[in-house]
Amino acid sequence: MLELLRRGGPLTAGAMASRLRLNRTHAARHLRILRLAGIVEAHSAANRRVYKLKPRALGMLGDWLDLFLAEGDDRLDRLDDYLHDLQRPAVIFEADLAKISKRWKS
């Protein structure tokens, strides 16, 4: 729906429902949630509601998503570092064992 509104400009719920192959009830529910979230706005035109994006709200959503994704990336980086740290002692231990076994063989 958001992509349709971004590309096609203001559209009615019926127009979006038919393009997305949804029934109108489902489309109206989605649009209601988007409207309550402040992402789209609606105005009446004759007996229809026409929906359009609120670019400022999308910008704020994009900023929040960037922060959320950056925090997730940071968490994954920390997990990766931790897992590498867990593997290091095993590598050092294996190297020490190799040295010890060489000494015993000599």
Side-chain angles (χ1 to χ4, degrees):
M1 288 186 165
L2 295 177
E3 186 63 20
L4 282 176
L5 291 172
R6 187 185 71 79
R7 288 185 181 187
L11 293 167
T12 63
M16 284 186 272
S18 67
R19 289 185 190 178
L20 295 171
R21 296 182 183 163
L22 295 172
N23 67 44
R24 289 181 189 221
T25 303
H26 289 126
R29 286 181 187 163
H30 286 287
L31 288 164
R32 179 178 178 270
I33 291 168
L34 291 171
R35 186 174 47 82
L36 291 173
I39 297 172
V40 300
E41 61 187 13
H43 68 273
S44 296
N47 63 344
R48 299 179 180 184
R49 295 191 82 156
V50 179
Y51 294 86
K52 72 175 188 173
L53 286 178
K54 293 175 75 175
R56 181 178 160 95
L58 281 179
M60 290 171 28
L61 177 61
D63 293 344
W64 178 81
L65 283 173
D66 288 343
L67 291 172
F68 180 77
L69 292 173
E71 185 177 299
D73 286 345
D74 184 48
R75 287 181 180 174
L76 288 175
D77 288 343
R78 288 195 315 258
L79 176 60
D80 189 48
D81 292 343
Y82 174 73
L83 293 174
H84 278 96
D85 287 345
L86 286 177
Q87 291 174 351
R88 278 195 193 116
V91 171
I92 292 169
F93 183 70
E94 288 173 12
D96 290 340
L97 283 178
K99 288 178 188 176
I100 292 169
S101 66
K102 281 183 185 178
R103 287 183 192 156
W104 282 97
K105 289 180 182 177
S106 315

